[in-house]
Amino acid sequence: MRRIHVGNALSAFGLGFTVPYLYVYVAQVRGLGSMTAGLVLAVFAVAALIVLPFAGRAIVQRGPLPVLLAALVTASVGALALGLAGNATAVLLAAMTLGAGQAVMSPALATMIVDCSTAETRSRAFAMQFFLQNLGLGVGGLIGGHLVDTSDVSSFTLLFSIEAAMFLVLVVVMATVRLPHSPRVEGAPRSAKGSWKQLLGNRAMVQLCVLGFVLFFACYGQFESGLSAYGVEAAGISTSALGTALAANTAMIVVAQFAVLRFVERRRRSRVIAAVGIIWAVAWVAAGYAGLGHGSRTMATAAFISTYALFGLGEAMLSPTVAPLVADLAPTGMAGQYNSAFALVKQLALAIGPAVGGPMGASLHAPYIVTFLLFSLGISYLAVRLGRQLTPVQDHPWRARSRVVAQGGAPQESVAA
């Protein structure tokens, strides 16, 4: 588990070097224009949508470790190629390669965490993963910002080379991992089509995927598109204040992650997700005040920064809740398939969210706030509805464990039938 967490931190550190500067690199440094830069960002989402439907089946059949190693090598090749690409075709092909590798890492690492944890330790394991990912992204972005020079192509080539090297270092670290033997999957479908049919037959998982889409669409899909455009256009937020808001989001996650963990662990998962919907609704109200409240510039900036901080609080509550729930809904040995399906839903939301929120945030200020305020309240409704589909062990594992211990038994790991 320690090696897996080191791997998560290294991969996030490498991504932090390049993700914030990708648009500037393609559009300005390489001189390929905003259209090509936009296509590059879209290609990342397209690559994920192509490979993720097959990644789950590969993880189930081959195990998460070989799939992860293949994804890391693919991502390393893509990162290095992106740093050396000088024309639009080469940039798009490199972005497709890097995007495909990155997309597969997430479900593979999540499945490894499931294999190395129990129902008692899983929430903390995923909380640690989320903490290290945000810390790695923040540190990588901070260091990368001091290395880049928009007038020097070689500085960006260095960034992408460092990212490629991080992936290869991660290959070495992960190659030393010895996972427990995965349980044999009894009666598992022999085809990818059969695997998806079985997953779609799990009503609780389908409802969780719908809820997950709304979560990522209404929050993560707005961070760097609609919400930032709204802040600049409606609230008059400066670029430095926007950077402060993003830093406040990361700082809230880093500070609050383990502070809220004990609170989250002892409560029903569906109620925790519902509470996140309420918190995010308050965040959108604060954003509305920032842009539509006609207050002072200082008050508007403070309200906008608090919006990002409240989003970070909700994210810290979700990390030990949603991912373990996906694992607990998966039949024995099928965690890879379920993790890949949820990652696919996430990518769909992250692809559609900016396309919808960006234009709205830039021009339709009041409708934008009202729309995503309603989406946040919808999260609470969907979470309560999901709770009715979950077993007591899936929804409130802490209480189930307490009852078993009180009766003199040993806590058992729960897996959905």
Side-chain angles (χ1 to χ4, degrees):
M1 185 65 80
R2 285 194 294 270
R3 288 179 173 86
I4 294 169
H5 285 321
V6 168
N8 271 300
L10 286 175
S11 63
F13 180 72
L15 291 173
F17 266 95
T18 59
V19 169
Y21 317 108
L22 189 58
Y23 184 91
V24 173
Y25 168 70
V26 176
Q28 299 178 12
V29 178
R30 287 295 182 182
L32 299 176
S34 58
M35 181 67 73
T36 302
L39 287 174
V40 166
L41 297 176
V43 158
F44 276 90
V46 171
L49 297 179
I50 291 174
V51 299
L52 282 173
F54 305 98
R57 186 64 183 168
I59 292 172
V60 171
Q61 291 181 332
R62 305 292 182 184
L65 184 55
V67 174
L68 175 62
L69 295 178
L72 288 170
V73 173
T74 301
S76 180
V77 171
L80 185 60
L82 196 55
L84 298 173
N87 58 68
T89 301
V91 165
L92 291 173
L93 289 175
M96 178 71 75
T97 305
L98 177 57
Q102 288 179 4
V104 177
M105 286 183 211
S106 177
L109 283 166
T111 305
M112 292 174 70
I113 290 176
V114 172
D115 289 345
C116 291
S117 63
T118 65
E120 291 77 23
T121 62
R122 194 161 293 148
S123 291
R124 291 183 175 272
F126 278 106
M128 177 63 76
Q129 179 200 33
F130 191 66
F131 170 82
L132 290 174
Q133 282 178 342
N134 280 275
L135 190 61
L137 285 170
V139 173
L142 182 63
I143 296 176
H146 289 284
L147 294 178
V148 295
D149 180 357
T150 55
S151 63
D152 184 7
V153 174
S154 64
S155 68
F156 284 86
T157 302
L158 174 62
L159 283 192
F160 285 103
S161 299
I162 292 174
E163 181 181 25
M166 288 295 100
F167 290 138
L168 292 180
V169 170
L170 185 49
V171 168
V172 176
V173 173
M174 290 293 102
T176 66
V177 172
R178 295 294 177 265
L179 292 175
H181 289 293
S182 298
R184 185 176 180 179
V185 186
E186 298 293 342
R190 297 183 178 182
S191 66
K193 182 178 180 180
S195 297
W196 283 97
K197 184 178 180 180
Q198 184 190 64
L199 186 149
L200 292 174
N202 187 329
R203 291 185 61 185
M205 183 60 190
V206 171
Q207 289 192 21
L208 180 59
C209 285
V210 172
L211 174 58
F213 179 88
V214 178
L215 283 168
F216 290 109
F217 177 79
C219 175
Y220 300 91
Q222 304 306 314
F223 271 1
E224 297 175 3
S225 57
L227 191 55
S228 59
Y230 169 85
V232 172
E233 299 293 337
I237 301 299
S238 65
T239 53
S240 60
L242 182 59
T244 302
L246 290 168
N249 175 263
T250 302
M252 175 62 79
I253 292 170
V254 172
V255 171
Q257 183 63 84
F258 295 102
V260 303
L261 181 59
R262 184 176 294 274
F263 170 83
V264 168
E265 279 185 320
R266 295 173 182 268
R267 280 155 182 82
R268 294 174 59 180
R269 288 166 169 170
S270 60
R271 298 296 174 84
V272 170
I273 301 172
V276 170
I278 299 298
I279 291 171
W280 285 357
V282 174
W284 284 109
V285 170
Y289 172 79
L292 308 172
H294 306 294
S296 66
R297 177 66 60 85
T298 300
M299 291 298 295
T301 300
F304 194 74
I305 292 173
S306 69
T307 297
Y308 276 80
L310 287 170
F311 276 126
L313 177 60
E315 292 173 73
M317 294 170 65
L318 287 176
S319 62
T321 305
V322 175
L325 181 55
V326 173
D328 287 350
L329 287 174
T332 303
M334 294 293 290
Q337 183 76 39
Y338 277 57
N339 282 323
S340 294
F342 198 76
L344 178 62
V345 169
K346 175 181 178 181
Q347 288 297 327
L348 281 170
L350 294 180
I352 297 174
V356 174
M360 288 186 68
S363 57
L364 303 174
H365 302 148
Y368 177 69
I369 294 297
V370 172
T371 297
F372 285 93
L373 173 61
L374 293 176
F375 267 107
S376 297
L377 295 176
I379 289 171
S380 299
Y381 168 76
L382 291 172
V384 172
R385 185 178 177 187
L386 172 64
R388 299 173 188 152
Q389 295 292 328
L390 302 176
T391 67
V393 173
Q394 291 166 349
D395 196 23
H396 200 173
W398 181 274
R399 175 175 291 181
R401 292 198 301 270
S402 299
R403 286 177 178 174
V404 171
V405 172
Q407 294 170 3
Q412 296 179 350
E413 182 176 354
S414 66
V415 180

